[in-house]
Amino acid sequence: MHDQYLDKLADDIMSLIEDEKPSEQNIGTRGTALINDFIHKPGVQESLAQLDVAKKVRLWGNKGSGMQILWHGADTPKKGSPHDHGQSWALYFQVTGVTEMTTYDRTVGEPGQPGEAILEKIDERDVTPGKAMFFGPQVIRSTQHSSPPARWIRVTGTDLDFAERLRFSIERREAVIEKRN
């Protein structure tokens, strides 16, 4: 991977939020443009294609803290359950294939809290190559990859492996805390 390109991408994304909170405008719009520029740098797409996506790949960031730039993939059909990223924001940028993204409103239960949870779908859209979706803290979403393969870059405000967040069960009408480490 071209570290100088990744370092520049990270620096440029972080500069978007030096003086303002992460938002659709700064991370969602300008961050998407920065990632689009990044993937079109010489050799980047070829390098990304060589990475094993059996698990997410940390392209940039320190384990346990701070902004993360991750590489994900789906080679078989996958459907994720609704979840949030706790207090972190996230930008999903599609490189190849399609991610079917659904967002939800929690109509029963306290935002950010485990317990009873009834969700209502509020948006469904396909994220296609060169496009992205921004999510602020506690926004509930699910991903699906019905027609793999698919590859995407996910940028998060912190290392989600160490963040308290919620996973939702529509069938059981509940939210549970998910924290991997």
Side-chain angles (χ1 to χ4, degrees), residues 1-157:
M1 181 58 57
H2 300 278
D3 288 341
Q4 73 272 18
Y5 295 150
L6 277 167
D7 288 342
K8 172 100 170 88
L9 174 62
D11 288 346
D12 289 347
I13 291 173
M14 287 190 297
S15 75
L16 296 175
I17 53 175
E18 278 180 0
D19 299 322
E20 56 186 293
K21 286 183 169 182
S23 68
E24 176 62 41
Q25 182 59 33
N26 57 23
I27 296 294
T29 301
R30 295 190 303 253
T32 296
L34 291 170
I35 297 171
N36 214 354
D37 289 345
F38 164 74
I39 66 166
H40 289 96
K41 299 280 187 205
V44 168
Q45 288 189 47
E46 294 80 3
S47 294
L48 291 172
Q50 299 303 313
L51 297 173
D52 180 4
V53 293
K55 295 183 178 183
K56 70 181 175 207
V57 177
R58 185 185 324 273
L59 298 175
W60 187 94
N62 294 317
K63 185 176 182 178
S65 68
M67 189 178 81
Q68 307 286 304
I69 301 175
L70 307 164
W71 178 246
H72 293 271
D75 289 324
T76 59
K78 291 183 181 181
K79 182 176 182 174
S81 61
H83 63 281
D84 71 15
H85 287 175
Q87 294 304 311
S88 183
W89 54 267
L91 179 68
Y92 290 75
F93 178 92
Q94 200 69 30
V95 178
T96 64
V98 175
T99 296
E100 300 153 55
M101 196 71 76
T102 303
T103 53
Y104 303 85
D105 185 33
R106 185 173 181 178
T107 59
V108 172
E110 293 297 317
Q113 297 298 313
E116 185 179 15
I118 296 177
L119 302 181
E120 178 183 326
K121 284 184 189 177
I122 56 172
D123 188 30
E124 292 180 287
R125 68 178 71 173
D126 291 344
V127 184
T128 57
K131 304 295 183 196
M133 283 187 77
F134 170 80
F135 298 99
Q138 297 182 342
V139 174
I140 304 165
R141 83 291 242 142
S142 64
T143 61
Q144 183 168 333
H145 300 92
S146 299
S147 303
R151 300 289 184 269
W152 62 98
I153 291 172
R154 185 179 67 170
V155 183
T156 60

